[in-house]
Amino acid sequence: MLCVLVAVGYAFRGEAGRALEAVRDRTSKTEQMHAVKVTASSAGKQHPATLAVDGTTDKYWTPALPGAAEGEYLEAAFAEPVRLLDLVVHPGSSPTAEKFLTQARPSSLLITVTSKDGRTTVRTVRLADVPGGQRFHLAVSDAVRVRLTVQGVYGGRADRYLAFAEVEFFRRR
C-alpha cells in the first residue's frame, strides 16, 4: 500500500508543483521590475525602444517605417531570472484619446518569454483599442527575457507609425 501511495505521489509531483505555484502567485504581492536592456526590430529616430520602458506614457517607441507593422518586435531583458507574473501594455502614442488615435496601435501580440534554461513560453494576447494600460497574466518562472511581436494593428495606414507608449513588468515579491 505504501508503495502505491509513493508511486501515485511521484506520478503527480509535477501537478502538485504547478498547483503550489498558482496558489503562491495568487496570494503573493507583486512588484514592478525594470528591464536592464531593451531592443527592437527597428526604431524611429525620435522614438527609440527605450521609450517603451521609460516609466512614462507620453513618449513612445515606433518602428523605423510607417505602415504595416506586423512582425516588428520589442524585447526586454532582466538582470536576473524572475517569476514573471504580469505584463502591462500601454498601446498607442498617448493616454489622451485624441493623441492616442493619431498613430497605429497594436491589436494582437505574440508574447515570448524565455527562461534562464532557454525554454520559451508563448502566448498570443488581444488588446482593446483604448488608451491606458492593459494587464496580461503570464506566470512564468525564471524569466530572463520577454519579446512582444506585433501580429496585428488598429489604425494602420501608410502615413502612421505603430506606437507603444509603455510596457511594464511585474514579478512575485
Side-chain angles (χ1 to χ4, degrees), residues 4 11 52 65-66 78-79 82 90 98 127 146 159 169-170:
V4 171
L65 300 174
F78 309 123
V82 298
H90 296 260
E98 298 82 28
L127 289 92
V146 178
D159 63 336
F169 308 96
F170 292 86

Side-chain angles (χ1 to χ4, degrees), residues 26-110:
R26 286 178 175 52
T27 59
S28 298
K29 293 186 188 259
T30 62
E31 67 180 351
Q32 187 173 3
M33 53 185 244
H34 300 283
V36 294
K37 181 180 179 187
V38 65
T39 56
S41 50
S42 69
K45 290 181 183 184
Q46 306 267 314
H47 301 280
T50 54
L51 292 180
V53 295
D54 68 346
T56 68
T57 56
D58 62 342
K59 298 175 189 160
Y60 54 94
W61 164 69
T62 65
L65 300 174
E70 285 86 358
E72 294 281 354
Y73 67 84
L74 184 70
E75 185 169 288
F78 309 123
E80 61 188 22
V82 298
R83 174 72 176 171
L84 181 63
L85 291 184
D86 296 312
L87 172 77
V88 176
V89 178
H90 296 260
S93 58
S94 172
T96 307
E98 298 82 28
K99 291 180 184 176
F100 174 81
L101 296 172
T102 64
Q103 299 296 340
R105 292 85 53 201
S107 64
S108 179
L109 297 173
L110 181 70

